[in-house]
Amino acid sequence: MSKALRVITLSTILLVWLTAICGASAFRMGDQGSDVAEIQGQLASLGYDVAADGDFGPATAEAVKAFQVARGLDADGLVGPSTYTALLGKAMPEVSRGSNAIGRRVVASSMQYLGVPYVFGGTTPSGFDCSGYVRYVFANAGIYLPRTADAQYECGYAVSTSKLVPGDLVFFSTYEAGPSHVGIYLGDGNFINASSSQGVSIASLYSSYWGSCYIGARRVM
């Protein structure tokens, strides 16, 4: 086979492979933007409990699953072509994986450890404390953070609550003054953390307890 023919053949294979990857894409947890807001708005109009804030978090995923069950679709919480068309009545646009790719990776990694017990000083999936959990999850995404919550609070830059995106770090003053607890923002006003009472679990940033001790957020991505 000539060099030119090999190049053409390899290019064709690559194009087919990329097309398959794009065709298999879906909107999922950690995604953001106007397309996500449109999905959320349609879900809300159908009576599902979700805000059209453009952040695809746990509440959106649960609403998508409920819609999929109602329509006889695979209830995976992902908005792929079939779910998108059933929901919005049109073909799904290309899913952009731009600047929030790391955030998506962090969110996906964080969810793998739901239910892991809390262990003071824990830094592995056999048991985590809050900052040990955050450090472990971010290391999986190639971002290396200090060990403690107060040191993690010095990383990156501050972001307002209204500007939070999935993957941001959220901090709380709990057992002592200053940033003594940390979690990972998921979207929809929810975050995931290793708490002493529930282990790795999802909580609302606006609950009476967490809302009262919330002190700010940092973006390290």
Side-chain angles (χ1 to χ4, degrees):
M1 183 184 292
S2 69
K3 181 178 180 181
L5 185 56
R6 285 200 302 270
V7 170
I8 292 172
T9 302
L10 289 173
S11 297
T12 302
I13 292 171
L14 179 60
L15 180 60
V16 170
W17 179 75
L18 288 173
T19 301
I21 292 296
C22 291
S25 63
F27 294 102
R28 65 194 71 196
M29 276 187 55
D31 284 343
Q32 302 173 284
S34 58
D35 288 322
V36 172
E38 184 179 14
I39 289 167
Q40 293 170 320
Q42 183 63 13
L43 287 167
S45 72
L46 294 173
Y48 296 98
D49 186 16
V50 60
D53 59 5
D55 283 337
F56 198 129
T60 300
E62 289 305 312
V64 169
K65 288 180 183 179
F67 173 80
Q68 290 169 325
V69 169
R71 295 300 179 93
L73 301 167
D74 289 339
D76 55 9
L78 306 178
V79 182
S82 297
T83 298
Y84 188 92
T85 300
L87 180 63
L88 293 166
K90 59 183 179 180
M92 190 176 81
E94 182 179 348
V95 181
S96 173
R97 295 288 183 240
S99 60
N100 68 338
I102 295 177
R104 287 187 59 256
R105 195 182 315 158
V106 167
V107 167
S109 177
S110 73
M111 299 296 288
Q112 295 178 33
Y113 307 105
L114 278 169
V116 169
Y118 179 89
V119 174
F120 183 75
T123 60
T124 73
S126 62
F128 288 115
D129 65 14
C130 67
S131 55
Y133 169 64
V134 167
R135 187 171 188 265
Y136 188 91
V137 167
F138 272 80
N140 284 346
I143 299 173
Y144 298 94
L145 298 174
R147 172 65 184 88
T148 61
D150 57 345
Q152 291 172 2
Y153 191 67
E154 301 300 319
C155 297
Y157 58 93
V159 290
S160 65
T161 306
S162 63
K163 300 295 185 181
L164 284 172
V165 300
D168 284 342
L169 299 181
V170 288
F171 292 87
F172 308 85
S173 179
T174 52
Y175 63 90
E176 62 180 27
S180 53
H181 188 78
V182 60
I184 301 168
Y185 187 68
L186 298 175
D188 293 330
N190 296 304
F191 70 98
I192 189 168
N193 72 131
S195 72
S196 57
S197 59
Q198 297 185 349
V200 177
S201 54
I202 296 172
S204 172
L205 194 63
Y206 306 113
S207 69
S208 58
Y209 175 73
W210 292 113
S212 67
C213 56
Y214 176 69
I215 60 172
R218 308 288 293 185
R219 184 165 300 155
V220 298
M221 298 175 294

